[in-house]
Amino acid sequence: PETKTSRKHIAVLAFPFGTHAAPLLSFVRRISEAASDVKFSFFNTAQSNALLFSNGGEFERVKFHDVESGLPDGYVFNKSHPNEPVEYFLKATPGNFERAMEIVVAETGVEFSCLISDAFIWFAAEMAEKRRVPWIPLWTSASRSLLVHLDTDNLRERLGINGPGEQTLVFFPGFSSIRAMDLPEGTISGPLDEGVPVLLHKVGQILPKAAAVASNSFEEIDLPDVNTLMKSRLPNFLNIGPFTLTSPPPPDSDKYGCLEWLEKREKLSVAYISFGSMIQLPPPELTALAEALEASKTPFLWSFRGNPKEQLPPGFLQRTSAYGKVVPWAPQLKILEHSSVGVFVTHGGWNSILESIIGGVPMICRPFFGDQKLNERTLETVWGIGLGVEGRKFTKDGAIKALEVILCSEQGKIMREKIAVLKQLAFQAVESEGSSTANFKTVMEVITKT
Ligand code: U2F
């Protein structure tokens, strides 16, 4: 019979912003399918937990618990300080997690045997150490961006703080086409004493303490140089993705009829536009992109954050209604897999890039923050599967040109061929003999050993 102490109980600590908690939940559900004796307590803010639930799905053996968000009572989101909720949340950590975890242990009478967290929750290393249990962080972006955080001190020394943006990282294997200006903000600028840059610096310093570091990517996407460098910095680093291919398919919700609309379009003709879960384009760029779509008569499907009627140029929605569709949310993965879609206009969030690879769709990338500039530069100069926009801002002419290159030119065709190769490698990585499958087994060994 099951005794209290023989039960495995894993605490999962989420980072409740952007698309971080969803891949963490995918990871946990996969472990739970592989080890039915393990129970999970998933700690996350109420708001982020609610979002995970609204995406549907069954969560057997995973119990959700809310932690305090740290927001003052009556807090109203301030568009000009979009990072404020993150700052409040970070100030509330680790106390908010500790309190919620204590309650769960008191209620269940079962101590935690392992801590799994988003890699951003770097202080989980200390929490695990205190409990003498292993810590397994999940990195939700590309390996390349993690390397940058592991080597921040080195990069600061080599490139200089606030050094010229155009200098390239020739001294860093696999990064010779990456420029200082492509690095996440704060990596080589300003003091490392507050906010997200200090968090990422800490992540880089503390991850080597982890029992294993899992990542939502696959080894074959990176040059051997990058994988070797990663292994030298972090021997326990394990690419186990893409999660999109290892998770159950998302529920069939196509509330706004996007797929039906795509059925009526020609093959490879549509631009799918989405800037992730949070970002809204600044007004002049919204106008520029809208004008480019209209002038080129490019069929488009736009997942729009904000109010399209108020924010898009007057009359745009009516004038383009024969070939354009604007929706508040879209079944992105299914859209990218649809044969009508020819290009993805994106902000370069890692989940979006992986989904575009799986759909085989080249990208036009307009990056905003964090890893997105590095992702954009890598898409364009290393993988050859996408384009940046000039000056990293949409202009009408720049957008028309980029759409034309991908939808109508030989260069676009070559990108499509290159992305098809990556797509195949992604599928191979998760086959039974694939690299991600083998790496996942290693993660399971760490978990079952505890
Ligand atoms: C942060 O991610 P974001 O939310 O900004 O962007 P993505 O990583 O691209 O994830 C967006 C997800 O939302 C889904 C889409 C992706 O899985 O399929 N989605 C959708 O289903 N329907 C829609 O209409 C719009 C989006 C951060 F900003 C990035 O820089 C990081 O790379 C990322 C991972 O750490 O987290």
Side-chain angles (χ1 to χ4, degrees):
E2 210 180 35
T3 64
K4 275 184 177 177
T5 46
S6 74
R7 271 184 282 158
K8 287 205 167 74
H9 186 191
I10 300 184
V12 187
L13 285 67
F15 182 74
F17 301 98
T19 306
H20 272 254
L24 184 66
L25 181 57
S26 295
F27 178 39
V28 164
R29 291 179 69 192
R30 189 166 163 206
I31 300 169
S32 112
E33 272 160 34
S36 58
D37 60 330
V38 184
K39 296 232 177 329
F40 300 86
S41 292
F42 195 97
F43 297 96
N44 191 14
T45 58
Q47 200 188 8
S48 175
N49 270 337
L51 259 178
L52 289 178
F53 279 114
S54 73
N55 290 339
E58 302 247 320
F59 306 110
E60 233 190 299
R61 297 192 288 272
V62 185
K63 221 169 164 330
F64 292 80
H65 303 276
D66 294 345
V67 302
E68 296 138 32
S69 65
L71 293 177
D73 283 343
Y75 174 80
V76 183
F77 182 71
N78 179 350
K79 258 190 177 175
S80 45
H81 296 287
N83 252 343
E84 232 171 36
V86 181
E87 284 155 19
Y88 278 119
F89 173 76
L90 292 176
K91 278 192 197 127
T93 62
N96 56 351
F97 281 111
E98 286 286 11
R99 282 188 289 281
M101 286 162 74
E102 267 167 36
I103 294 173
V104 170
V105 170
E107 277 172 7
T108 58
V110 188
E111 296 286 345
F112 297 114
S113 51
C114 175
L115 260 54
I116 290 179
S117 78
D118 191 294
F120 278 25
I121 308 291
W122 57 271
F123 47 83
E126 285 162 28
M127 295 165 85
E129 210 166 89
K130 199 171 83 185
R131 292 171 171 83
R132 296 174 188 280
V133 298
W135 171 49
I136 306 177
L138 172 72
W139 182 249
T140 59
S141 186
S143 314
R144 289 177 161 262
S145 56
L146 179 53
L147 266 175
V148 165
H149 303 307
L150 289 164
D151 264 56
T152 293
D153 293 335
N154 176 26
L155 290 172
R156 285 185 158 230
E157 210 169 286
R158 300 294 291 258
L159 297 168
I161 296 172
N162 298 321
E166 290 293 339
Q167 57 184 329
T168 50
L169 277 66
V170 276
F171 54 87
F172 211 49
F175 278 68
S176 59
S177 62
I178 307 299
R179 303 157 303 185
M181 63 194 275
D182 304 321
L183 297 176
E185 53 283 356
T187 310
I188 53 159
S189 60
L192 284 170
D193 58 5
E194 65 170 18
V196 175
V198 75
L199 177 148
L200 291 167
H201 187 232
K202 284 263 190 221
V203 170
Q205 290 175 315
I206 287 178
L207 279 194
K209 286 191 173 193
V213 180
S215 171
N216 180 14
S217 189
F218 54 105
E219 265 165 45
E220 293 75 10
I221 197 174
D222 280 312
L223 302 170
D225 278 359
V226 172
N227 287 323
T228 309
L229 183 62
M230 187 52 115
K231 283 280 171 200
S232 75
R233 296 289 189 272
L234 213 52
N236 295 334
F237 183 72
L238 298 162
N239 281 299
I240 59 167
F243 289 1
T244 313
L245 297 180
T246 58
S247 309
D252 280 323
S253 69
D254 184 19
K255 246 188 20 210
Y256 305 101
C258 299
L259 298 168
E260 199 189 318
W261 183 87
L262 283 176
E263 282 300 312
K264 296 186 200 121
R265 315 257 77 92
E266 276 175 36
K267 204 164 175 261
L268 301 181
S269 69
V270 174
Y272 168 62
I273 308 166
S274 167
F275 304 102
S277 59
M278 306 170 282
I279 292 164
Q280 295 190 16
L281 279 186
E285 289 187 69
L286 263 185
T287 305
L289 180 57
E291 286 177 356
L293 292 165
E294 198 174 349
S296 62
K297 293 230 159 11
T298 305
F300 66 91
L301 176 57
W302 196 335
S303 170
F304 197 93
R305 309 281 83 73
N307 184 338
K309 280 201 189 94
E310 278 173 18
Q311 291 165 266
L312 286 167
F316 171 81
L317 290 172
Q318 292 82 347
R319 289 194 304 274
T320 56
S321 64
Y323 58 92
K325 186 173 173 73
V326 180
V327 295
W329 192 254
Q332 180 163 304
L333 182 62
K334 291 214 169 111
I335 287 170
L336 290 167
E337 284 173 335
H338 197 285
S339 57
S340 298
V341 176
V343 59
F344 180 13
V345 183
T346 172
H347 66 313
W350 186 241
N351 297 290
S352 290
I353 292 179
L354 284 176
E355 290 162 14
S356 214
I357 290 174
I358 287 157
V361 181
M363 288 156 267
I364 294 172
C365 185
R366 187 321 189 182
F368 284 79
F369 58 81
D371 57 335
Q372 295 157 13
K373 287 177 286 184
L374 181 58
N375 292 345
E376 173 231 34
R377 187 72 179 165
T378 307
L379 287 184
E380 185 168 320
T381 63
V382 182
W383 297 323
I385 58 171
L387 288 179
V389 285
E390 225 173 278
R392 290 195 163 136
K393 282 193 172 39
F394 282 115
T395 58
K396 181 178 169 185
D397 289 349
I400 292 177
K401 213 162 82 190
L403 287 167
E404 222 173 67
V405 169
I406 297 198
L407 291 171
C408 311
S409 80
E410 183 60 23
Q411 203 185 334
K413 206 172 138 233
I414 294 170
M415 286 184 199
R416 205 160 287 116
E417 285 163 9
K418 287 191 171 164
I419 207 164
V421 173
L422 286 184
K423 172 181 177 169
Q424 200 185 2
L425 292 171
F427 275 84
Q428 282 167 2
V430 299
E431 278 171 9
S432 55
E433 301 300 314
S435 55
S436 286
T437 307
N439 286 339
F440 182 69
K441 284 185 189 146
T442 309
V443 172
M444 287 310 297
E445 279 161 24
V446 175
I447 290 173
T448 45
K449 229 171 35 200
T450 61

